[in-house]
Structure formats: C-alpha cells, structure tokens
Amino acid sequence: MIAKKPSVEEKEITCIVCPTGCSIHVKRLEDGTLSIEGNQCKRGYDYAETEFIEPKRILATTIRIEMAKVPLVPVRTDEPVPKEKLDEILDFLANIKVKAPVNCGDVLVEHVLGLDANIIATRTLGVDTCDKIACEI
Amino acid sequence: MLQRETDVAIIGGGPAGLAAAVEARNHGCDVLIIERDDSLGGILQQCIHPGFGLHEFDDELAGPEYAQRYIDVVENGGIDVLTNTMVLEITPTKDLYAISENGVINIISKSIVLAMGCRERTRGAIKIPGYRPTGVYTAGLAQRFVNIEGFMPGTEFVILGSGDIGMIMARRLTWEGATVHGVVEIQPYPSGLIRNKVQCLDDYNIPLYLSHTVVRVHGKDRVTGITISKVDENWKMIPGTEKFINCDTLLLSVGLIPENEITKKAGAALSRTNGPVVNQFLSTTINGIFACGNVLQVHDLVDNVAVEAKKAGKLAALYSKGVQVPTSMEKQIVRVSPGNGVGYVIPNVINLDVKEEFIEKAGSMRFSLRVRKPMQDIYIKMRSGQKELYKKFHRYVRPSEMIIFKIKESIKDFLEGLDIDTPIEVYVEPKNKQPGKRERD
Ligand SMILES: Cc1cc2nc3c(=O)[nH]c(=O)nc-3n(C[C@H](O)[C@H](O)[C@H](O)COP(=O)(O)OP(=O)(O)OC[C@H]3O[C@@H](n4cnc5c(N)ncnc54)[C@H](O)[C@@H]3O)c2cc1C
Ligand code: SF4
C-alpha cells in the first residue's frame, strides 16, 4: 500500500438522545471501521453509529378512509423503517383507501413494501353512516 | 334549562381532562367530562406523529393512539361524557353553564377541574405589516386541516416560529408534496426540541433562519411572498438584510397561551403563565376549582400532563368527598417566585397550614419551571431566605424543555422549614459563579 486513501464517507450528526445535543463527527476509515468523535457518552456513540450506518424512523402519516366521520385515519409503522424508504412508503400509502370501522392498533398493511414493519391505525373510527353532506340536502 | 349534578365536573376532554377524570373516578366519585369537540382526545387527535407516552407507556405512540388508551378507560369506567358541549361560564359561586345542541345546561358539581388546554397566538398578537391576504394560518390550524380534514392549505410554505408544532408541520407538509422554503425564528436558537430540528428540518434540508423574522407579508388576495430580515439581539431588524421568499402560505407557530376566559370569569387569579394561580394541590384561588394541563402551563410532554392531571383529579375527588383542600388564597401561604434565569414556577404559592394526615394523601411536592434561555453547566436551586431547599446540577437547560423536580425529604419537614414572610425563590446559578458577575436575562 502506497499512500493513505482519504476516508470514503463522513457526516456531522446532531445527537438527539439527550438535551445536550452534541455534534458528533462520524468518519469511515479506510479499514472500514468508524471514527466517532464529539459524543460525550456511550449512548451518543451508539446513536451516531446507527444513524450513520442505517438511519431509521417511525413513519406516521394518514390514509384515506371511507364511511367514517372524517376522511382520514392516522397510521404509523409499528417499528422503525429505513429512512431512505420513507418516500416510497408514503407514495404507496397515498394510493390506499380503507373502510370504517377501524380500531386503533389494527394492521392495515402487512409488511409494507416487503419490509418487516406493518402499517397500523392509530385512531379508532366507527362507521358514521350519516354522511354529513347527504344529511344536509 | 337542563340541569345535571355530579361530584367532579371536568372541563375539556384532552389528555389532561381524561387523566383527571380517570383518577377522580378511581377515588369513587361521579365524574362528568364536558368537551366542546365531537370527540375526546383534545389536540392529540391532530398530533399524528409518534413520540407520545415514552415515559408512561414506554412506547412511541402517535397522539391519537395515546388518547385512545385513556378514552377506552373512560368509556369502560362509568365516566359520563358530554361531547359537542361547550362550557360558557363558571360563575364566582361555582355554577357551571354549558351549551349543546339541546340548549343551555346548568351543571352543579361539588368540584371542578379546569382542563381546557391552550390556544395559539395569532398574527394579531405579533403584528406583521401588510394586507391580510388568504394564506396566513396558525400552524395548529394547518395541522388540523392536513391531518384530520385532509385538506392542504397551500403548496409553497414559510413557517414563522420554530416551536415544535411548526417544525413538525414542516416535515408533514413536505411529505404531502408541498415545499417548505424555511422556518424563520427570531431567537438565536430553535425554540422547539432538538429532536424535532434534526428529524423534521435537517432530514429534509429545510433551512432554519435563526435571528430572523418576517417583516412583510406580500399579496392582496392571496399571499404571494414574504420578506424576512435579520434581527439584532434586541429583536430590531437590521436594515439591508431583507430577503424575499416566494410562497403562497405563511404558518404561524409563535407560541401557545392557556385558554383562560372561563378561568377569568370564575374570578380566579391569573399568574404570569396566563393560567390560574395554584398551590401545591393545584387548587386555584377558588375553593373546589382545580387546574391541570395546558390551561395551567403549556407542556411539551404529554406524560407530564398526565401526572399533573392525575393529581388534580385526585384532589378534586377528595374535595368532593368533604376533605378540606386548602386553596391558594388562604392566609398561611408563602409565594414561590421565579428568580434569576427562571421564567415561571408552578405551584405559585405553597400552603403551610396543612393537616398532617392530608400531607400523606396529597402525594409528592412537585415543582415545574422553565428557564428563560438556553444555558450550560448550571444549578437549579430553590431557597427560602438564606436556607437552601433544593439544588441540582444540569449540563444543559433550554426554554423548550420543562424542568420538573420533587422534594425528596419529608413534606412535613419541608413545610416546617418555610417561613410565611419569606418567599421561596427558584433560580439558576452558574456552576463556576464568579463573584460580582450576574447572569443577564
Ligand atoms: C395546535 C397544537 C399542537 C400541539 N402539538 C403538539 C405536538 O405535536 N406534540 C406535543 O407533544 N404536544 C403538542 N401540543 C401540546 C399538547 O397540547 C399537550 O401535550 C396536551 O395535548 C395538552 O393537553 P390538555 O388536555 O391540557 O389540552 P388539549 O389537548 O388542548 O385539550 C383541551 C380540550 O378542552 C376542550 N375545551 C376547551 N375549552 C372548552 C370549553 N369551554 N368547553 C368544553 N371543552 C373545552 C378542547 O376542545 C380540548 O379538547 C400541541 C398543542 C397545540 C395547541
Ligand atoms: S452524546 Fe451523550 S451527552 Fe451528547 S447529546 Fe448524545 S446522549 Fe447527550
């Protein structure tokens, strides 16, 4: 080996584990290991590591619902999903429609996009047959 | 006029009202919740993002999900609920009047818990020059439109104020296909949680303009853009730093204030949080009227709302059962005042003349406060004259995070150590205090 190659990736991560909000600098070294600097504790180290390798988020949004008193039912993934998949999941959910009744916690989509996570309802919405507009007419 | 009687009447069916109701019911009282909306859950029904109940349920629940856990208990627990019913007034003699589709209802209750939540500051409260075109909304109203009613109030957004609701809405709108051109914050630091700055703004490269404000709203019928400007430390705009941003919608996330019309009408004294003055029993200055949740102080964590509300619910229940719960108006009280670096402290007063058996029943002595600005390496201290009552080191404190502490020693000893003529002071002290140098607020 002749000269040291520059490290391939680096990133500045703000730790959100506690209110201190440390700025953590993560760098992938040429041997593939990570250099993590700026954290003040182990929890921050772990956070920065995961956030660098595969950041994940719980996704919470709404999907359309029919026969309920409101047009949307709030939903979320039941476990964190890779951050780079969020857009794809949102697009997928934008084209889905469910029917009341829905109970809080019901699985509305199993293994969304083949991931481990399911989409669950976060609100209970019963059937509201008296369609408001129809009633007024 | 319709009439109803109950032991504990709870005004507002948000998390505070629900938790208070469950607790009062557990103490064997007849409980009635009065909610103006068509469902229970309060503001949580529109907060669909996760992060609620971390402490209480050890889970990252979405707002409606958290609310549902309480709603289930309320619905199965023999608690009466009136929805679509708005409380208009509590008279100084504690007569409660509400209105519903069926007309005015007079509710006679042995005790009352105020749990009406808060409302958003609006444009009038912050004075931006320009016409009043369509396209200026509060962030909370926009949250309701997007998350419950399924309607997008615009396509190109700017958000004024970096409170949590504003930042959460920035991400939400981005997900719904809108463009958020920036969040404008007058302070030199974000006013919401770091977590929200990272996950809602940084994740989507939404610029945060710190030490900036909106100086003009353009457009006559519909917003066509806004001008922002840098401000100095006194919040004065710095000429020459103006920048025009194209947008069709401006959201205001410029703070929340306790809903206090009813509190005022009842004749209860208000404190500097704009909520009612309360003592360690969360009793207002009126016998039998208690307060909890955002109507008392604006909370950032719903778990803390629940803790506070359970206490209010329990004390209201005890009061209804004939226990003498001291109000914050009695003679034997000592004031709790916010000192250096502290915005406010709750309770506002402490009753000294408390029967021993009641001390046990009333539970822990809990204080909550907010600091005025972000600070590092400080002590939060409490003293009565020269006597130190509490001290804790904090590496970092921010106004966006409420600080809560409890008195660890016996409450009896604590009360006995107080002096009626010496107010209690809660204040910030830098760790390496240099003599003669005082922290500036
Ligand atoms: C717009 C907005 C968005 C928020 N978003 C978040 C968030 O994203 N994350 C977070 O952690 N916290 C958020 N909060 C803070 C949140 O409000 C608290 O965590 C919690 O919901 C407070 O509970 P509460 O019961 O005190 O108030 P609320 O949830 O506001 O409940 C008060 C209830 O009282 C009812 N009411 C008021 N007046 C009357 C009356 N006269 N008669 C009958 N009923 C009445 C209201 O309809 C409402 O249902 C938000 C607050 C607001 C205002
Ligand atoms: S690294 Fe440790 S101290 Fe720093 S923000 Fe993260 S958890 Fe807090």
Side-chain angles (χ1 to χ4, degrees), chain B residues 344-365:
Chain B
Y344 74 86
V345 193
I346 290 212
N348 312 84
V349 300
I350 290 183
N351 286 70
L352 299 184
D353 187 18
V354 187
K355 290 209 184 74
E356 212 170 319
E357 79 262 15
F358 186 63
I359 292 183
E360 300 291 317
K361 276 193 195 147
S364 65
M365 185 75 123

Side-chain angles (χ1 to χ4, degrees), chain B residues 40-343:
Chain B
L40 294 174
I43 215 77
L44 290 185
Q45 294 294 10
Q46 67 185 60
C47 301
I48 63 162
H49 57 277
F52 295 86
L54 271 174
H55 301 284
E56 207 180 346
F57 299 119
D58 196 21
D59 207 349
E60 282 215 43
L61 304 176
E65 214 173 357
Y66 178 97
Q68 195 66 45
R69 300 220 171 171
Y70 273 102
I71 294 172
D72 288 344
V73 178
V74 164
E75 285 179 348
N76 301 321
I79 293 170
D80 288 330
V81 178
L82 289 174
T83 47
N84 290 314
T85 307
M86 178 158 160
V87 174
L88 301 172
E89 182 177 8
I90 305 171
T91 65
T93 50
K94 242 170 66 199
D95 252 346
L96 206 153
Y97 292 95
I99 188 151
S100 72
E101 289 162 346
N102 304 326
V104 176
I105 315 169
N106 172 220
I107 295 158
I108 297 168
S109 181
K110 292 179 186 144
S111 69
I112 296 175
V113 177
L114 305 174
M116 292 94 75
C118 58
R119 68 185 127 96
E120 300 183 272
R121 276 183 213 276
T122 54
R123 188 176 177 193
I126 51 161
K127 299 196 182 75
I128 305 169
Y131 289 102
R132 303 196 148 248
T134 319
V136 183
Y137 302 96
T138 60
L141 184 61
Q143 191 178 42
R144 188 180 176 97
F145 286 160
V146 177
N147 290 346
I148 297 185
E149 289 164 25
F151 147 73
M152 283 287 281
T155 53
E156 310 270 326
F157 289 81
V158 170
I159 299 172
L160 174 59
S162 59
D164 291 313
I165 309 166
M167 295 201 283
I168 286 166
M169 278 311 287
R171 174 178 63 184
R172 184 75 187 123
L173 292 164
T174 309
W175 282 355
E176 288 296 320
T179 310
V180 179
H181 293 284
V183 174
V184 183
E185 170 59 56
I186 199 162
Q187 308 264 18
Y189 49 86
S191 69
L193 303 174
I194 290 285
R195 174 197 171 99
N196 286 331
K197 177 188 174 284
V198 170
Q199 297 198 340
C200 301
L201 304 186
D202 300 354
D203 270 8
Y204 300 92
N205 298 318
I206 297 170
L208 172 61
Y209 297 96
L210 295 175
S211 297
H212 273 77
T213 193
V214 171
V215 292
R216 187 148 204 105
V217 178
H218 303 269
K220 213 166 169 180
D221 301 321
R222 174 84 203 190
V223 174
T224 55
I226 56 151
T227 301
I228 65 170
S229 154
K230 234 181 141 86
V231 296
D232 63 19
E233 61 267 35
N234 299 317
W235 295 3
K236 281 244 165 63
M237 68 171 277
I238 305 173
T241 61
E242 295 90 341
K243 175 180 155 98
F244 177 80
I245 305 178
N246 234 318
C247 65
D248 58 23
T249 312
L250 174 66
L251 296 190
L252 306 174
S253 177
V254 289
L256 304 169
I257 13 177
E259 190 75 70
N260 58 20
E261 292 307 313
I262 295 172
T263 318
K264 265 197 265 182
K265 263 196 202 159
L270 297 186
S271 78
R272 66 167 80 194
T273 60
N274 271 309
V277 167
V278 293
N279 61 8
Q280 72 263 44
F281 310 117
L282 300 174
S283 168
T284 65
T285 50
I286 300 177
N287 240 319
I289 303 189
F290 300 82
C292 57
N294 284 3
V295 81
L296 179 58
Q297 54 174 339
V298 177
H299 289 72
D300 35 63
L301 278 181
V302 75
D303 304 80
N304 295 335
V305 171
V307 173
E308 191 174 273
K310 282 180 188 160
K311 182 163 187 177
K314 173 173 160 184
L315 286 151
L318 291 176
Y319 181 91
S320 296
K321 295 198 155 232
V323 177
Q324 283 291 326
V325 181
T327 75
S328 44
M329 261 300 259
E330 259 138 66
K331 290 203 186 75
Q332 295 284 323
I333 58 167
V334 46
R335 277 187 42 212
V336 184
S337 56
N340 181 47
V342 173

